[in-house]
Amino acid sequence: MAKLAVTDLELAGKKVLMRVDFNVPIKGGVIGNDNRIVAALPTIKYVLEHNGRAILFSHLGRIKTEDDKKELSLAPVAKHLGELLGKDVTFIPETRGAELEAAVNALEDGQILMVENTRFEDVKDGEYVKLESGNDPELGKYWASLGDDIFINDAFGTAHRAHASNVGIASNVDQAAAGFLMEKEIKYLGETVANPKRPFVAIIGGAKVSDKIEVIKALLNKADKVIVGGGMAYTFDAAKGNKIGNSLFEADKVELAKQLMAEAGDKLVLPVDAVAADAFNNDAKTVIVDSAAGIPDGYMGLDIGPKSIALFQEVLSDAKTVVWNGPMGVFEMPNFAKGTLAIGNELVKVTENGGATIVGGGDSTAAVQALGVADKLSHISTGGGASLEYLEGKPLPGIESLTNK
Ligand code: AMP
């Protein structure tokens, strides 16, 4: 069902509640990477240019104690947003109360204010009460009451969670619309994957089988090939009876791995070799070994090897749709980043040949950014967990709660 969009709304003179995802890396008030803020600018600018009065909500990190609040104020984010917009952003260091209400009522057309970290509502007087994360009905109703019955959700990263600042507000207003960023996520992840141009290849990597098993299963039903790399591949290797040395291994997932391999047949594509190291260290001694020959004792597989890269490139060579989540190795260490970088470069080729390429998850996104190829791919999803759940075909509460057209 198509959801209401920003362009469907009458914004002039209206107090517009907006949920954005400004969950940026931050240390000592210094923002490590402002991608998420920049990504929300088109929707924010649209609202301001159409004379809306923007009231911004976002979470930042996790708040479990009063102490967490010291490090996780959105004040530096509001300041940075003001610099990016070239406009004053009023920051309210509260999530409710008279100061916030007065500031909202003082807003003029085209002006913007930002509310303090919504997750400050998760801790009251030192107690972990989870009012935001638990979608407390009173809180959602209160935040909704601050606006003029219009809400825009542009925070895809939290769309897989029902919180007061997304589902709570949306359920208490007349019009809840998808922001431009959210619309793009729905278009690429939802429509492309529901109706992919084929061959459709999925690439899943990262550390643990247990985190991504559901998405692997779901993708085996939808894609033509599913490539599995990264640390999770060694549990599959072990299931085949290959020696894996000290590589990452989940003993309780061996049976599942066996079952998946039996069901999927040649649809499931696994690495055929590995770069193995004698320590978890960039300068460790390394050997390249065939998976079937096994990883020697005392060594651990930290990247896919050259034969796996060639195999994966071959599988990707005629792909028309590719989704990728999770690195092929410990890409944070340059000596074990080759496999991940090779996949990033291959995706550029797929895109240049007219294919749709979609990357989700913080690590794969970091990899394509490090490569400088992010803007050569079709879509970089802003949500890791949310994009995985969407790919699994689960309804996301943050999207479901938006108004149908
Ligand atoms: P995930 O969050 O599940 O996508 O996992 C990402 C993490 O997996 C990254 O920090 C990688 O360093 C790590 N990783 C990938 N391959 C391996 C491997 N072979 N051994 C250990 N860690 C790995």
Side-chain angles (χ1 to χ4, degrees):
M1 181 81 73
K3 296 296 182 182
L4 209 62
V6 177
T7 45
D8 297 322
L9 303 171
E10 277 297 330
L11 298 165
K14 298 281 174 56
K15 287 177 279 184
V16 181
L17 305 167
M18 299 181 68
R19 176 60 158 97
V20 289
D21 179 1
F22 286 173
N23 185 29
V24 292
I26 196 163
K27 244 202 163 106
V30 179
I31 298 167
N33 173 330
D34 69 354
N35 286 343
R36 286 185 164 159
I37 307 176
V38 171
L41 291 176
T43 310
I44 296 171
K45 283 184 181 164
Y46 183 93
V47 170
L48 300 179
E49 280 161 12
H50 288 78
N51 290 317
R53 306 170 180 197
I55 302 154
L56 263 56
F57 295 85
S58 175
H59 78 284
L60 178 62
R62 289 217 173 102
I63 307 287
K64 294 198 163 159
T65 65
E66 292 291 345
D67 253 9
D68 292 339
K69 294 184 181 177
K70 291 184 196 140
E71 263 292 302
L72 293 169
S73 168
L74 277 171
V77 175
K79 182 164 175 280
H80 188 62
L81 174 65
E83 288 159 8
L84 291 172
L85 287 171
K87 217 174 173 56
D88 282 338
V89 175
T90 306
F91 177 71
I92 308 300
E94 304 289 343
T95 46
R96 61 169 96 199
E99 184 184 353
L100 172 60
E101 289 155 28
V104 165
N105 291 325
L107 275 178
E108 291 178 13
D109 295 357
Q111 290 187 340
I112 174 167
L113 76 74
M114 168 124 232
V115 179
E116 182 56 282
N117 185 352
T118 53
R119 289 197 183 159
F120 277 27
E121 287 285 342
D122 282 350
V123 173
K124 295 272 170 195
D125 303 322
E127 236 184 289
Y128 187 43
V129 290
K130 286 180 74 173
L131 298 185
E132 152 75 330
S133 304
N135 190 14
D136 176 68
E138 291 308 315
L139 183 58
K141 202 183 246 180
Y142 169 72
W143 280 338
S145 76
L146 297 171
D148 284 330
D149 258 332
I150 300 181
F151 174 57
I152 297 170
N153 188 351
D154 216 12
F156 180 73
T158 46
H160 58 318
R161 305 275 180 252
H163 290 174
S165 64
N166 58 359
V167 173
I169 300 178
S171 319
N172 284 287
V173 295
D174 284 345
Q175 293 183 302
F180 293 124
L181 196 59
M182 182 74 97
E183 257 193 311
K184 195 168 175 247
E185 299 277 7
I186 295 174
K187 173 172 184 283
Y188 276 101
L189 289 168
E191 291 170 18
T192 313
V193 177
N195 217 346
K197 284 195 281 176
R198 293 185 184 272
F200 170 21
V201 180
I203 311 165
I204 303 294
K208 288 165 90 189
V209 189
S210 44
D211 285 345
K212 294 184 185 169
I213 199 71
E214 292 305 326
V215 74
I216 295 175
K217 281 190 196 162
L219 289 169
L220 280 168
N221 284 326
K222 291 186 184 141
D224 299 294
K225 295 275 181 195
V226 177
I227 293 173
V228 171
M232 68 175 72
Y234 300 101
T235 298
F236 287 87
D237 265 326
K240 286 184 195 166
N242 293 338
K243 272 180 59 181
I244 60 165
N246 295 337
S247 306
L248 273 187
F249 173 58
E250 288 167 89
D252 60 339
K253 294 289 173 286
V254 169
E255 279 313 309
L256 187 63
K258 277 187 190 161
Q259 192 189 326
L260 282 177
M261 288 189 293
E263 282 168 17
D266 65 0
K267 199 181 242 197
L268 183 63
V269 184
L270 292 160
V272 289
D273 61 353
V275 180
D278 67 352
F280 192 77
N281 180 329
N282 188 50
D283 303 316
K285 201 166 122 198
T286 60
V287 285
I288 293 173
V289 289
D290 284 351
S291 308
I295 292 176
D297 290 340
Y299 280 74
M300 62 188 95
L302 294 185
D303 196 7
I304 55 172
K307 289 181 188 166
S308 308
I309 292 177
L311 171 68
F312 295 175
Q313 283 169 336
E314 168 69 29
V315 171
L316 288 165
S317 62
D318 64 345
K320 284 286 170 275
T321 304
V322 181
V323 297
W324 177 25
N325 182 299
M328 294 293 102
V330 185
F331 77 106
E332 298 92 335
M333 300 181 195
N335 287 338
F336 307 106
K338 281 201 191 81
T340 303
L341 299 182
I343 293 291
N345 280 322
E346 202 57 32
L347 260 55
V348 174
K349 287 192 202 157
V350 173
T351 323
E352 283 167 357
N353 290 334
T357 50
I358 300 163
V359 179
D363 288 319
S364 349
T365 302
V368 293
Q369 275 164 352
L371 263 178
V373 302
D375 56 356
K376 294 188 179 140
L377 306 177
S378 312
H379 181 60
I380 309 291
S381 176
T382 47
S387 68
L388 279 176
E389 292 197 16
Y390 211 22
L391 291 175
E392 281 169 35
K394 287 191 187 158
L396 305 190
I399 296 177
E400 298 288 302
S401 60
L402 300 176
T403 313
N404 292 326
K405 267 206 201 203

